[in-house]
Amino acid sequence: MLHNVFSNKIRPCLNGQNAGVVAAAVAAGQNQTQVYVTESCLQKPYRCPHPKIQFYLYTRRTQEEGEFLNVLDPNALYYTHFNPRHPTKIIIHGFGGGRMLSPSPDLREAYFSVGEYNIIIVDYSDAVKEPCLSQMEWAPRFGSLCISQLVKYLARHPRGVQPDDLHFIGYSVGAHIAGLVANYLKPEEGRLGRITALDPTIFFYAGTNNSRDLDSSDAHFVDVMHTGAGILGQWHSSGHADFYVNGGTRQPACVGSATLFQTLACDHTKVTPYFIESITSTRGFYAGPCPNLFTYLIGWCEPKDSEYVLMGEHCSNKARGNYYVTTNAKPPFARGFPGKGRSNGEYQGVRR
């Protein structure tokens, strides 16, 4: 059983960043006192496994009913449909999410439509139904500690898999939690294979402290997709490959939302439909390297055909640097290969 010292080091953390969370909560009808201590706050004892952080396995045979993984029972994995020969995906949702709430079911459906997978949902929905500002500073680290217990359980189990074979997919704060799991793995215990970060939130973790942020040292390969950068999502690059979709800040499908807050929220959440489509798309989201947003916006990025890489599920683990990609405003969002190999012979670049 994993214990930790969080119970002795709980400190309020009401700074400029989570002031944005307060503002959003107030806009939804809550006052600051209501979001400081809520039913979503974790209860003592603060040890893993915690009842508000649970793991459910889904396979093609169990698409509708997930199988609960008890990491304290060495025999539990034997009684599930986990197959070590199939790729293993561990999905960490964001604020307000859950295993039965979008995008978790949509991700499962997309994966199972193309193959056999072990999909494990980290369900901490009871802890993120509403803000809990009194625990905001340390709760994500505690969550990652509990997830590391799952990783070690799978590594030790005769029917399990090693950390190097795991693909984490984290949305919003879930992206940072995925990165923080690496802090609890010793070198001899292995390293996470891949982390796909879907618009990592700017709240809590904007900074240069890599021990509390997602960065390229957290896995063998870290790819990041930005759709609401600088507003609800972080702007700075933090992976081996960072993809800025439609410039990274404003998504065409979100234009015309009723309020500014709805527009910003739409930009942030639009990352999940893009990634889900990338799992099954035959066109593909081809992205080209580009030095900065200004160069992308004025159309000066002209990569060679060989420099384009696929964004999303099928991204090459050799991709390095910042990439920009343009999508359609409506599904299918992927535009396919934009290089010189076009029937009209006209080079159209990254932005078109």
Side-chain angles (χ1 to χ4, degrees), residues 53-72:
I53 304 172
Q54 299 183 331
F55 311 117
Y56 287 88
L57 169 68
Y58 291 85
T59 65
R60 263 189 168 176
R61 292 186 179 183
T62 62
Q63 292 187 45
E64 301 302 324
E65 293 292 333
E67 299 172 308
F68 175 70
L69 295 179
N70 182 0
V71 296
L72 296 182

Side-chain angles (χ1 to χ4, degrees), residues 58-119:
Y58 291 85
T59 65
R60 263 189 168 176
R61 292 186 179 183
T62 62
Q63 292 187 45
E64 301 302 324
E65 293 292 333
E67 299 172 308
F68 175 70
L69 295 179
N70 182 0
V71 296
L72 296 182
D73 182 357
N75 295 315
L77 202 61
Y78 288 122
Y79 302 114
T80 71
H81 290 83
F82 186 91
N83 189 330
R85 294 190 297 270
H86 298 158
T88 299
K89 311 285 184 178
I90 298 180
I91 298 172
I92 309 176
H93 60 75
F95 182 79
R99 66 187 177 99
M100 301 306 295
L101 300 173
S102 183
S104 297
D106 308 308
L107 283 162
R108 297 197 299 264
E109 181 181 357
Y111 275 118
F112 293 136
S113 71
V114 296
E116 297 273 7
Y117 293 90
N118 306 305
I119 297 182

Side-chain angles (χ1 to χ4, degrees), residues 309-324:
V309 299
L310 279 170
M311 176 188 76
E313 169 65 17
H314 305 292
C315 179
S316 168
N317 60 12
K318 293 181 171 55
R320 294 294 184 273
N322 293 338
Y323 296 84
Y324 285 78

Side-chain angles (χ1 to χ4, degrees), residues 36 38-39 52 67 78 102 107 109 120 128 151 171 191 203 214 225 232 287 321 326 332 350 352:
Y36 195 75
T38 67
E39 291 184 0
K52 283 194 174 183
E67 299 172 308
Y78 288 122
S102 183
L107 283 162
E109 181 181 357
I120 299 174
V128 289
V151 173
Y171 163 61
R191 191 178 179 191
F203 298 123
L214 174 75
M225 293 171 56
L232 296 180
T326 302
V350 176
R352 58 187 178 90

Side-chain angles (χ1 to χ4, degrees), residues 183-262:
N183 294 348
Y184 301 103
L185 297 179
K186 299 176 182 178
E188 61 270 21
E189 292 175 323
R191 191 178 179 191
L192 299 181
R194 178 183 175 187
I195 297 175
T196 297
L198 305 180
D199 208 38
T201 179
I202 196 173
F203 298 123
F204 327 134
Y205 295 104
T208 57
N209 184 350
N210 289 346
S211 67
R212 298 181 57 190
D213 201 350
L214 174 75
D215 69 271
S216 59
S217 70
D218 292 330
H220 289 295
F221 181 62
V222 178
D223 55 310
V224 186
M225 293 171 56
H226 302 269
T227 58
I231 309 297
L232 296 180
Q234 70 179 29
W235 180 260
H236 69 276
S237 56
S238 53
H240 293 96
D242 284 70
F243 296 86
Y244 294 86
V245 189
N246 299 308
T249 56
R250 296 294 304 275
Q251 303 309 309
C254 299
V255 175
S257 297
T259 66
L260 175 61
F261 184 78
Q262 289 177 346

Side-chain angles (χ1 to χ4, degrees), residues 115-137:
E116 297 273 7
Y117 293 90
N118 306 305
I119 297 182
I120 299 174
I121 304 293
V122 178
D123 189 351
Y124 62 113
S125 54
D126 287 342
V128 289
K129 289 182 179 179
E130 51 191 347
C132 175
L133 293 184
S134 62
Q135 298 180 354
M136 182 178 292
E137 195 274 338

